[in-house]
Amino acid sequence: MCIRDSPKLGKLTSGLVDPRQPEKGSLAMLAILLLVFIIAAIWFAAINDTLLRWNQASESFFYAFHNPWTIAPMKWLLFIGHDLSLLMVTLVVSIWFMYRRLYIVLSHWLLLSISAYIFSVLICRIGHDQWHVVASHHVFWFTALASFWAIIVAGAYPIKWRSWPYVLAGMLILLFAFASLFFYQINLAMVVLSVLTASIWSMLIGIAFRTRNRKQFLGLPVKIAFLLTLLLMPLANWLLFSSSTKVVKPEWLQQQISEKTTGWANNGQQTSVSYTHLRAHETD
């Protein structure tokens, strides 16, 4: 039995798999269900001791990579997924779609980008209790754009090469997620949740798009526009945000580092002890 034959799932997904049905209602209901799942997952991650230990283990792991040689390349990877980069990618690809009058893919592209940004802000608000309207750790937004880009350009490849856009998108997502964790912008549980849910959301919109558009457009300009903008925007982000992008260690990690060093080495007592010891020798 297929999903459309189910009385409940059929109504929920009919707009995705049936081009005769409007897709807005189905996508809106699925977006609400996805948001409810995200809230429940974040709440579970906040109270689960195992996930908390995983977060701390990953933070300790990334602390070992911190040195003057790794900060610069990690910052470059972080700026690939900065909100300014994702905004420019959205605009550049949208301009090409408008120029080619590909209005169906344009509407789905804009829907995905706008909704993914909203999801990202809500995830940060729920998970960090702060409104990060402009940030460099919106993993959901980056994952959704990269995944949907792979969906819309994969059809332009020969069958044996159609997996390569997904491989490239996956590599970009992993690199950006790694950089986000390196700078402690977001914890491991939030990264995993963002990647999984964003992949699902882009897949749902991709199904709705493919249901309404069976023809494959020329994929090369979209590939070039997406990748070139994504790789060049870190230059602008470096000039604008490099000085304000710093490694901010979690409180528990800072406390642990402080405890591992002796108190007299931290509070200046080492100098006073050495000076007192020297004066004693001079007196003798």
Side-chain angles (χ1 to χ4, degrees):
M1 183 180 67
C2 65
I3 295 178
R4 283 181 295 181
D5 296 332
S6 174
K8 294 183 179 180
L9 292 178
K11 293 181 180 180
L12 185 62
T13 61
S14 60
L16 300 182
V17 297
D18 189 352
R20 298 170 299 178
Q21 300 292 330
E23 62 182 331
K24 295 180 181 179
S26 296
L27 289 175
M29 288 299 298
L30 290 170
I32 293 174
L33 292 176
L34 190 63
L35 181 60
V36 171
F37 171 78
I38 290 173
I39 295 174
I42 293 176
W43 174 81
F44 177 76
I47 65 172
N48 187 271
D49 292 337
T50 301
L51 292 179
L52 291 175
R53 287 194 297 269
W54 286 359
N55 289 335
Q56 292 184 349
S58 69
E59 290 165 351
S60 299
F61 171 80
F62 282 99
Y63 176 71
F65 285 93
H66 289 179
N67 61 70
W69 298 100
T70 58
I71 294 294
M74 286 296 104
K75 189 179 292 187
W76 181 274
L77 292 176
L78 186 70
F79 287 157
I80 288 179
H82 192 280
D83 283 359
L84 184 59
S85 298
L86 302 183
L87 177 62
M88 288 304 300
V89 167
T90 301
L91 293 177
V92 170
V93 175
S94 297
I95 290 172
W96 171 256
F97 287 150
M98 287 188 290
Y99 172 73
R100 297 295 299 174
R101 298 181 180 180
L102 301 171
Y103 298 121
I104 296 179
V105 64
L106 173 63
S107 62
H108 288 82
W109 173 256
L110 290 176
L111 172 63
L112 176 95
S113 183
I114 294 172
S115 61
Y117 170 75
I118 295 173
F119 270 120
S120 298
V121 174
L122 290 176
I123 288 174
C124 290
R125 179 65 182 90
I126 299 169
H128 298 289
D129 293 329
Q130 294 181 357
W131 290 105
H132 295 164
V133 179
V134 178
S136 56
H137 56 269
H138 285 160
V139 179
F140 189 104
W141 193 9
F142 184 87
T143 302
L145 281 179
S147 301
F148 190 71
W149 167 81
I151 291 173
I152 61 179
V153 303
Y157 282 88
I159 294 178
K160 64 178 181 179
W161 297 105
R162 286 183 182 176
S163 61
W164 281 105
Y166 298 98
V167 173
L168 180 57
M171 291 176 59
L172 290 173
I173 292 168
L174 288 177
L175 290 173
F176 175 61
F178 189 93
S180 300
L181 291 169
F182 178 88
F183 281 93
Y184 303 113
Q185 299 280 332
I186 189 171
N187 61 44
L188 179 63
M190 300 286 284
V191 166
V192 174
L193 177 64
S194 296
V195 170
L196 290 178
T197 53
S199 300
I200 294 172
W201 182 237
S202 60
M203 180 190 67
L204 293 174
I205 296 183
I207 293 174
F209 163 68
R210 284 302 179 190
T211 301
R212 286 157 179 78
N213 186 82
R214 297 292 184 178
K215 296 181 180 180
Q216 176 61 44
F217 55 86
L218 184 62
L220 182 60
V222 180
K223 302 169 196 173
I224 296 175
F226 179 87
L227 294 175
L228 199 61
T229 306
L230 203 63
L231 295 177
L232 291 180
M233 277 307 298
L235 290 173
N237 292 330
W238 194 285
L239 297 175
L240 295 173
F241 308 109
S242 180
S243 59
S244 60
T245 303
K246 300 178 181 179
V247 176
V248 180
K249 302 181 186 68
E251 293 183 3
W252 76 269
L253 185 57
Q254 292 179 356
Q255 183 179 1
Q256 187 180 73
I257 295 172
S258 300
E259 291 175 353
K260 286 184 178 180
T261 56
T262 59
W264 60 271
N266 283 333
N267 57 23
Q269 292 180 9
Q270 181 183 14
T271 303
S272 62
V273 170
S274 300
Y275 179 77
T276 304
H277 185 68
L278 179 62
R279 292 291 296 174
H281 277 286
E282 290 177 354
T283 303
D284 295 337

